[in-house]
């Protein structure tokens, strides 16, 4: 999740409901996907990253898109079956109060966006990436039957992530403590109904809280006043998700990468696979099925640089230290503060994808040794039980 | 003689050799450094040419040679522990020493007051 879109001109950036708070907290604001967003606060990316893994970090992710899909009679199964025409996950089988990761595909099996889908009992709620949210909404309106209502939610989205997130949020919404990873509940916070999911984009336990704009700032302030909670910018959000092996839309996955190549087939449940009751039926399903059967040409893998120099997105990958053509590309890379060294991921030929393979990535004209490895780089802290 | 460049390097010239580093302002803007690559001793550098690389969690940045000359010594301590650059950028966090090609070259660089005005205008 999360999109990679930098370089917006200042001046016509949209502001989230927490913009004033970011400025008051010393946030360094940059244009990101059309929004004025904090890339870091005074502590800096390294300390913000480590704080999130040790305690709790608060992230403003209000730039992301929030959509609701429903039918006039509140039949969530009907809405789910309609959505399954656009995504490969088992949505109809998603229990009430549960959430699941999936992606919109195109006819070539490429990924148009990745998203979270939650079953709220009488409707589905979707969280999509900021840079793609208008396109996603148009895609849903154009391709879902007329009987399915698509609504955009104008709400703030606050992520509270880290091992102390539960203790912090439970002071305001005690019922959050009983939730497990990927549960979704509508909880009363400060007299308003908020949609809370136990999920995130850091590899840590934590929550994403969809809140009415009116209480976004008071809620963020109340959380930030707690000893364990610090504000965290998009810089640390990126290093946290990279260590957790999570894809960044626009960098690690896009409309030219298939779920098979991206190693995201874990998000396609049995019922949607060959032999399942609702196999296929989404755009590009034939391409995905064929790749799954024959094996893809390339695969997304973890890449561990053997030296100390970070290897960043865009670096070409070679099979040998000199000569030869590039065989792959790094799609995300940087320094992993918790891992304690450089970390990266990218695409390599499937025959070279096995963990432990020695390859080379070109950085400033030099080929540096990297090793293919399993993802994630750090053990997740999800509350599964 | 302490001099500065608009690219946020400082240099202290003594006896035809300049000690070079990045300014406190640059270190703060870059954030916590996690990797430093220094030039080889004996390498000739052009004024404004790439001399070193620093990387934070988020990005890589070039450090330019503020003056032409030959690299006489490098500070391996900051390669071992890049955080020294953040904690003491204008002291223990120096990068390299350059034997100047021409002794007068440093005169035209910014003095401390001019550099302070430059960063005040930037922010």
């Amino acid at each position: 999740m999360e999109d990679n879109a930098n370089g917006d001109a200042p001046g016509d950036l949209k502001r989230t409901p927490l913009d004033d708070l970011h400025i008051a907290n010393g946030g360094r604001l940059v244009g990101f996907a059309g929004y004025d967003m904090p890339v870091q606060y005074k502590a800096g990316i390294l300390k913000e990253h480590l704080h999130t893994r040790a305690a709790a970090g608060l992230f403003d992710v209000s730039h992301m898109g929030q959509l609701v899909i429903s039918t006039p009679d509140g039949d969530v199964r009907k809405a789910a079956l309609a959505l399954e025409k656009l995504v490969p996950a088992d949505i109809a089988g998603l229990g009430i109060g549960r959430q699941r990761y999936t992606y919109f595909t195109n006819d070539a099996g490429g990924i148009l966006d990745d998203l979270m889908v939650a079953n709220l009992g009488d409707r589905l709620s979707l969280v999509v990436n900021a840079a793609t949210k208008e396109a996603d909404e148009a895609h849903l309106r154009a391709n879902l039957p007329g009987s399915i209502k698509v609504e955009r939610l104008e709400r703030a989205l606050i992520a509270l992530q880290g091992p102390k997130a539960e203790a912090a949020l439970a002071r305001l919404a005690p019922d959050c403590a009983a939730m497990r990873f990927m549960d979704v509940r509508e909880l009363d916070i400060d007299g308003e109904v908020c949609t809370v999911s136990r999920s995130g984009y850091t590899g840590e336990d934590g929550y994403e809280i969809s809140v009415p704009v009116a209480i976004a700032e008071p809620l963020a302030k109340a959380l930030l006043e707690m000893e364990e909670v610090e504000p965290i910018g998009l810089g640390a959000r990126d290093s946290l998700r990279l260590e957790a092996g999570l894809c960044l839309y626009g960098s690690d996955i896009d409309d030219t990468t298939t779920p098979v190549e991206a190693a995201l087939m874990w998000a396609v449940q049995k019922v949607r696979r060959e032999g399942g009751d609702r196999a296929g039926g989404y755009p590009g399903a034939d391409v995905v099925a064929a790749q799954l059967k024959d094996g893809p040409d390339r695969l997304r893998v973890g890449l561990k640089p053997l030296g100390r120099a970070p290897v960043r997105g865009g670096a070409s990958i070679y099979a040998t230290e000199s000569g030869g053509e590039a065989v792959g590309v790094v799609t995300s890379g940087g320094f992993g503060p918790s891992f304690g060294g450089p970390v990266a991921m990218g695409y390599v030929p499937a025959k070279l994808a096995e963990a432990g393979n020695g390859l080379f990535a070109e950085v400033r004209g030099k080929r540096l040794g990297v090793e293919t490895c399993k993802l994630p780089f750090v053990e997740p802290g999800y509350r599964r039980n | 003689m302490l001099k500065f460049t608009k690219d946020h390097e400082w240099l202290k010239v003594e006896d035809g050799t300049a000690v070079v580093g990045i300014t406190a302002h640059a270190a703060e803007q870059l954030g916590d450094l996690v990797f430093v690559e220094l030039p080889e001793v004996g390498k000739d550098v052009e004024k404004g040419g790439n001399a070193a690389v620093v990387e934070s969690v988020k990005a890589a940045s070039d450090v330019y040679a503020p003056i032409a000359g030959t690299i006489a010594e490098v500070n391996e301590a900051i390669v071992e522990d890049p955080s020294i650059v953040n904690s003491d950028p204008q002291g223990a966090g120096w990068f390299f020493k350059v034997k100047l090609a021409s002794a007068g070259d440093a005169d035209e660089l910014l003095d401390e007051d001019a550099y302070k005005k430059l960063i005040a205008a930037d922010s």
Side-chain angles (χ1 to χ4, degrees), chain A residues 28 47 308 310 312 364, chain B residues 29 55-58 79-80:
Chain A
R28 191 183 291 174
K47 291 180 187 76
R308 291 165 64 165
R312 304 201 182 260
R364 296 183 285 273
Chain B
Q29 290 296 311
E55 302 211 22
S56 65
V57 175
K58 195 173 171 57
V79 175
E80 283 306 307

Side-chain angles (χ1 to χ4, degrees), chain A residues 28 39 43 45-47 235 239 308-310 312 334-335 337 364 366, chain B residues 28-29 32 34-35 37 53 55-60 79-82:
Chain A
R28 191 183 291 174
V39 65
I45 296 172
L46 189 81
K47 291 180 187 76
S239 55
R308 291 165 64 165
R312 304 201 182 260
F335 182 81
R364 296 183 285 273
K366 277 180 271 184
Chain B
E28 198 207 318
Q29 290 296 311
D32 293 302
V34 297
F35 177 76
E37 188 175 275
V53 175
E55 302 211 22
S56 65
V57 175
K58 195 173 171 57
V79 175
E80 283 306 307
D81 180 6

Side-chain angles (χ1 to χ4, degrees), chain A residues 121-139:
Chain A
D122 59 352
R123 64 200 190 281
L124 298 174
S125 106
L126 277 54
V127 177
V128 303
N129 283 302
T132 39
K133 63 184 178 183
E134 275 90 18
D136 290 342
E137 190 180 336
H139 181 62

Side-chain angles (χ1 to χ4, degrees), chain A residues 50-65:
Chain A
L50 295 172
H51 180 85
T52 303
R53 294 236 188 274
L58 185 141
F59 305 72
D60 178 15
V61 286
S62 304
H63 59 316
M64 298 186 82

Side-chain angles (χ1 to χ4, degrees), chain B residues 108-121:
Chain B
E108 61 198 67
L109 296 171
L110 305 173
D111 61 22
E112 190 157 12
D113 279 351
Y115 179 69
K116 278 183 179 161
K117 278 184 194 137
L118 178 86
I119 57 175

Side-chain angles (χ1 to χ4, degrees), chain B residues 65-89:
Chain B
I67 201 157
T70 306
I71 301 293
E73 194 180 336
V74 296
N75 185 6
E76 292 291 349
I78 64 169
V79 175
E80 283 306 307
D81 180 6
S83 74
I84 297 169
V85 180
N86 294 101
S87 57
D88 192 10

